[in-house]
Amino acid sequence: MRLRTSLLVENDGRHLLVDSSPDLRQQLLRHGSPHIDSVIWTHGHYDHFIGFGEFYRIQKIPPVFAAPPVLNYCAEIFRFLSFEKGEIQPYEPFQIFGITITLFLVKHPPAFTCGVLFETDESRVAFTSDTNADIPRKSLDLLTNLDLLLIDALVPSHITIHKHMNYLDACLLAQSLSPTEYRCIHQSHLIPWDLPHLGKDGDIFEFI
């Protein structure tokens, strides 16, 4: 099974969720229903934020951080919920749960879309979210000395989609950035199961 992409980040006993996919309930149940302390939205596409409604009557609705265009759009969809909202400007680092987080622009036309860089004393991890290979130079310059890169690879190498990377695009970009490890995520049903560097539902990475 391939579920829609959400990323759960844990540090200092707190849980930060990046994107709230439509499969969020199933994903959280699989991992023991952790309490979510905050959420980041990368962009306003259904498969990346609509699962936020699953928090209703399950726990206190967590605060959400996002770039202003993303926050305004997604929060309007969930205007029936009361929750804290934090506008975060791309390329301006902020601190949460002992992690320095920087949103960076990617290219996912026509949606305003950000990737996310996570930094602690022990690790540097980046999540590209949905993007094609034409990522701005300013963003690529942030993605150096990474311990882990999670990178969009929607379709096999022989298919071209203008707003996503295919598997070859993703691998070539990862190799140019030279992270210690990388995983291709956001895969469609068209991606074979046995390719190298594929992320899988429930993958866990530890940095101590």
Side-chain angles (χ1 to χ4, degrees):
M1 179 182 295
R2 285 176 175 155
L3 303 177
R4 271 74 63 93
T5 300
S6 290
L7 176 66
L8 182 64
V9 179
E10 181 178 356
N11 196 55
D12 291 342
R14 308 293 291 277
H15 295 97
L16 171 65
L17 183 71
V18 180
D19 287 341
S20 46
S21 90
D23 299 314
L24 183 61
R25 181 176 183 274
Q26 183 176 357
Q27 290 165 324
L28 293 180
L29 286 172
R30 283 185 173 189
H31 293 277
S33 300
H35 182 275
I36 301 302
D37 298 291
S38 280
V39 173
I40 292 174
W41 283 326
T42 62
H43 64 294
H45 280 168
Y46 177 93
D47 59 324
H48 286 262
F49 80 94
I50 206 67
F52 190 75
E54 295 289 355
F55 290 116
Y56 184 58
R57 293 182 176 169
I58 300 297
Q59 65 159 78
K60 182 180 178 181
I61 309 298
V64 179
F65 299 94
V70 178
L71 190 63
N72 292 340
Y73 176 80
C74 297
E76 174 62 18
I77 302 297
F78 288 108
R79 60 187 179 275
F80 60 94
L81 297 178
S82 177
F83 58 97
E84 296 177 37
K85 306 168 187 69
E87 292 189 352
I88 305 301
Q89 296 296 333
Y91 306 112
E92 295 183 6
F94 68 103
Q95 296 276 336
I96 186 169
F97 310 147
I99 307 170
T100 299
I101 294 175
T102 307
L103 301 183
F104 57 89
L105 296 179
V106 294
K107 191 73 174 291
H108 183 47
F112 184 99
T113 306
C114 294
V116 189
L117 174 66
F118 307 90
E119 298 176 278
T120 69
D121 292 339
E122 292 79 27
S123 62
R124 283 172 54 84
V125 176
F127 175 84
T128 65
S129 184
D130 293 13
T131 184
N132 62 28
D134 189 24
I135 295 174
R137 182 77 253 170
K138 186 174 181 179
S139 297
L140 293 176
D141 288 343
L142 288 175
L143 306 184
T144 58
N145 302 314
L146 294 174
D147 296 286
L148 175 65
L149 173 63
L150 302 172
I151 189 166
D152 176 36
L154 185 69
V155 291
S157 301
H158 66 279
I159 299 175
T160 299
I161 296 179
H162 79 286
K163 58 186 177 180
H164 288 274
M165 283 187 278
N166 64 27
Y167 176 75
L168 179 60
D169 292 332
C171 290
L172 289 175
L173 180 57
Q175 290 164 16
S176 73
L177 295 171
S178 299
T180 302
E181 293 187 70
Y182 72 91
R183 294 291 185 274
C184 297
I185 60 169
H186 201 271
Q187 306 150 34
S188 74
H189 63 288
L190 299 173
I191 293 274
W193 291 90
D194 58 351
L195 295 176
H197 304 292
L198 290 190
K200 296 178 175 61
D201 291 336
D203 275 353
I204 297 174
F205 300 90
E206 295 187 8
F207 301 95
I208 298 174

